Amino acid sequence: MPTRASDLVTLGLRIRHYRGERGLTLDQLGEKVGLAGSQLSLIENGRREPKLSILQDVATVLGVPIADLLNGEAPNRRAALEIELTRAQKNPLYGALGLPEVKVTKGMPVAALESLIGLHRELARRASEAIATPEEARRANTELRELMREQNNYMPDIEQLAEDRVRASGHVSGALTHREVSVMAEQLGFSLIYVNDLPNSTRSVTDLVNHRIYLPPASIPGGHGLRSMALQAMGHRLLGHERPASYAEFLWQRLQINYFAAACLMPPAASVAFLARAKSERELSVEDFRDAFGVTHEAAALRLTNLATSHLDMPLHFLRVTGDGALQKGYENDGLPLPVDVTGSIEGQFVCKQWSARSAFTHTNRTTEFYQYTDTPAGTFWSATQTGAADGGEFSISVGVPFVHAKWFRGRETVQRAVSRCPDESCCRRPASDLAAHWAGHAWPSARLHAHVLSPLPSGTFPGVDDTEVYEFLEAHAAP
Ligand SMILES: [Zn+2]
């Protein structure tokens, strides 16, 4: 027997449909089954659940098997429209608008039904579009980072999935090739197609009917972008993703497909073997890991955060910082005091000027990693930073560990040392007192608008302007 309200609506419409075909009025059918016409009307409108005995009588009178009445499908197109409108009006989304429920009647023109249903569908689409406010985005992002920190940025299920798929492709060692990625797609029943006209807002599009994954024609020379994008598209399928219902779910799916792609490009068994060997030789380096697997420095650094704690027994941190010092991505499970805003979010916060993530920009030789020991209120950390440039400007990628673990890394012998007292504002967020005394009130900077939407503005005398930078600039350029 149907119990859900929507099933009762369908049942009612099926009864009405067959009654109409037999040319019976409500009262005529009611009389034959021992019900008042008004009660039968309630059943046909889905407002009352009929007893099974009544239903059997109705089926007998109408000359249809009872299973036909209980069939969950609408008896015809018009009935389908009526069911959809009735259901849509019972949706809490519509209820929240405080608008009246339109009574769905036999006399209602099909065009009216279609128009109302069209509006209801659009309402549902917009509500589920996951239009996140920056606040929601930040909160979701922070929750996800905390979740991953608890599990040491490690997802064993996805590691195993990647290992299995990579093995099945015939891959043996070294960098995963484009050919092997194609084989992985074929084994999944998809073909990879490279096109010039992908929609601007997409990185790949998967045709679920014809089983094709469309990708852009070329990738960054020497990069792993195209393989990664194809693997990410496959990740959605292999991980059984559905259309995300919220921004948080969207982020979670993104994290999972990125993880899957990275775990394919740097397969777990081979990566752990490579890193464990480097550790035993005290030659751990992101550079070597990157070159061994043919990926970007950032991808190798992030991959190290997946494996280091679970397989090499060391906590660590990862930072991607822009040329102006803002943190774009960060991860730590080693206690490095990352800058956070009141909501606990780190993105867009400025890291300490003493950290290698920023001091590396001031060094002229940037072809290799820059190594530094930094004393912080949470202890001494060793870090390796590689700088680079992209469309958005300069950036640095840092991986670091607490002092006791520096011994496993190449670059441990560096004499570069710095002291960071952040989050104490006197460390690097407030101008030196002599400079402030000299320049306060005599400087008039014009702020550059910050492009990064999640970025907070540095707080200075002028909104969006770092006083220290202004004063130091003026001091350096002032006449001697
Ligand atoms: Zn500082």
Side-chain angles (χ1 to χ4, degrees):
M1 285 296 286
T3 46
R4 285 191 308 141
S6 55
D7 294 336
L8 289 178
V9 169
T10 309
L11 173 64
L13 281 168
R14 292 187 77 86
I15 294 172
R16 184 193 292 165
H17 170 74
Y18 287 114
R19 179 173 63 77
E21 273 192 347
R22 306 291 178 267
L24 295 170
T25 64
L26 275 171
D27 288 335
Q28 284 168 339
L29 176 59
E31 199 177 309
K32 288 177 195 286
V33 298
L35 276 182
S38 58
Q39 282 176 304
L40 195 56
S41 175
L42 287 173
I43 291 171
E44 287 193 357
N45 287 321
R47 293 173 193 281
R48 178 170 298 176
E49 185 175 346
K51 282 190 201 135
L52 189 58
S53 59
I54 294 285
L55 207 56
Q56 272 163 343
D57 291 347
V58 168
T60 306
V61 172
L62 295 176
V64 294
I66 194 164
D68 260 25
L69 293 181
L70 289 168
N71 183 324
E73 279 175 33
N76 53 37
R77 174 167 152 71
R78 170 157 184 121
L81 292 173
E82 291 183 10
I83 291 168
E84 185 173 352
L85 182 57
T86 306
R87 283 182 189 169
Q89 295 192 118
K90 296 201 185 308
N91 190 314
L93 194 63
Y94 181 73
L97 299 178
L99 293 171
E101 205 173 299
V102 176
K103 192 159 182 280
V104 182
T105 63
K106 258 200 303 195
M108 189 182 268
V110 169
L113 283 169
E114 285 177 337
S115 170
L116 286 171
I117 287 166
L119 289 169
H120 279 288
R121 283 184 187 162
E122 181 61 13
L123 178 68
R125 188 188 70 77
R126 293 196 183 196
S128 67
E129 210 172 30
I131 311 163
T133 62
E135 286 75 15
E136 282 169 352
R138 291 171 80 87
R139 201 179 318 119
N141 211 30
T142 300
E143 281 171 11
L144 205 50
R145 187 166 50 80
E146 280 162 8
L147 177 77
M148 290 310 291
R149 187 186 195 274
E150 280 168 28
Q151 56 197 68
N152 293 320
N153 220 24
Y154 185 63
M155 294 201 268
D157 293 353
I158 298 185
E159 296 283 355
Q160 190 58 53
L161 179 67
E163 188 77 58
D164 294 345
R165 300 317 305 178
V166 167
R167 284 234 173 103
S169 80
H171 176 78
V172 180
S173 66
L176 191 68
T177 64
H178 281 87
R179 173 69 199 137
E180 286 159 350
V181 172
S182 290
V183 170
M184 285 173 69
E186 282 163 26
Q187 290 172 342
L188 197 54
F190 283 85
S191 49
L192 303 179
I193 298 178
Y194 304 95
V195 292
N196 282 308
D197 56 348
L198 265 187
N200 280 324
S201 58
T202 62
R203 302 199 295 175
S204 72
V205 175
T206 300
D207 175 344
L208 298 173
V209 177
N210 300 299
H211 293 86
R212 294 173 183 160
I213 297 173
Y214 291 98
L215 295 159
S219 75
I220 314 142
H224 65 270
L226 208 51
R227 285 175 292 152
S228 184
M229 272 188 279
L231 291 165
Q232 286 175 34
M234 286 182 235
H236 278 307
R237 308 270 68 76
L238 285 164
L239 295 161
H241 288 169
E242 303 275 345
R243 194 168 169 277
S246 65
Y247 190 77
E249 195 182 344
F250 165 79
L251 280 183
W252 175 237
Q253 291 185 355
R254 280 295 283 264
L255 189 147
Q256 287 190 311
I257 60 168
N258 284 333
Y259 196 111
F260 172 72
C264 288
L265 291 169
M266 291 158 273
S271 297
V272 170
F274 180 91
L275 294 169
R277 184 190 164 100
K279 186 187 172 195
S280 71
E281 291 169 353
R282 301 195 171 213
E283 279 288 330
L284 263 181
S285 81
V286 174
E287 277 176 333
D288 289 357
F289 188 37
R290 169 195 75 194
D291 296 343
F293 289 90
V295 295
T296 63
H297 197 87
E298 180 173 1
L302 275 170
R303 185 72 179 126
L304 189 58
T305 66
N306 299 147
L307 303 171
T309 310
S310 310
H311 293 279
L312 306 177
D313 297 321
M314 66 173 85
L316 77 174
H317 63 263
F318 163 89
L319 308 167
R320 182 188 161 107
V321 169
T322 56
D324 61 359
L327 192 54
Q328 278 186 312
K329 290 181 200 167
Y331 169 78
E332 61 75 28
N333 65 350
D334 61 0
L336 180 76
L338 295 182
V340 290
D341 69 10
V342 288
T343 69
S345 177
I346 58 169
E347 286 78 15
Q349 297 293 308
F350 291 86
V351 304
C352 180
K353 284 177 184 170
Q354 307 303 330
W355 291 6
S356 66
R358 291 187 73 175
S359 54
F361 289 120
T362 64
H363 284 257
T364 44
N365 175 12
R366 301 210 206 151
T367 49
T368 56
E369 289 179 292
F370 171 73
Y371 308 114
Q372 177 178 301
Y373 285 96
T374 312
D375 297 329
T376 79
T380 301
F381 293 85
W382 174 90
S383 56
T385 298
Q386 178 74 56
T387 55
D391 293 348
E394 280 190 308
F395 64 90
S396 72
I397 302 295
S398 305
V399 164
V401 290
F403 182 83
V404 291
H405 293 290
K407 63 187 175 199
W408 310 116
F409 285 84
R410 183 185 308 151
R412 62 189 169 274
E413 67 287 341
T414 183
V415 293
Q416 196 77 35
R417 282 208 160 247
V419 176
S420 162
R421 285 177 287 108
C422 274
D424 180 346
E425 296 223 329
S426 69
C427 169
C428 61
R429 273 150 226 271
R430 234 184 284 140
S433 53
D434 57 330
L435 278 184
H438 192 147
W439 288 107
H442 303 293
W444 189 278
S446 183
R448 188 160 55 109
L449 271 184
H450 222 284
H452 199 269
V453 68
L454 293 180
S455 293
L457 296 170
S459 54
T461 312
F462 288 76
V465 170
D466 183 330
D467 282 343
T468 310
E469 282 175 7
V470 172
Y471 295 164
E472 284 173 355
F473 167 85
L474 289 172
E475 187 73 13
H477 287 77

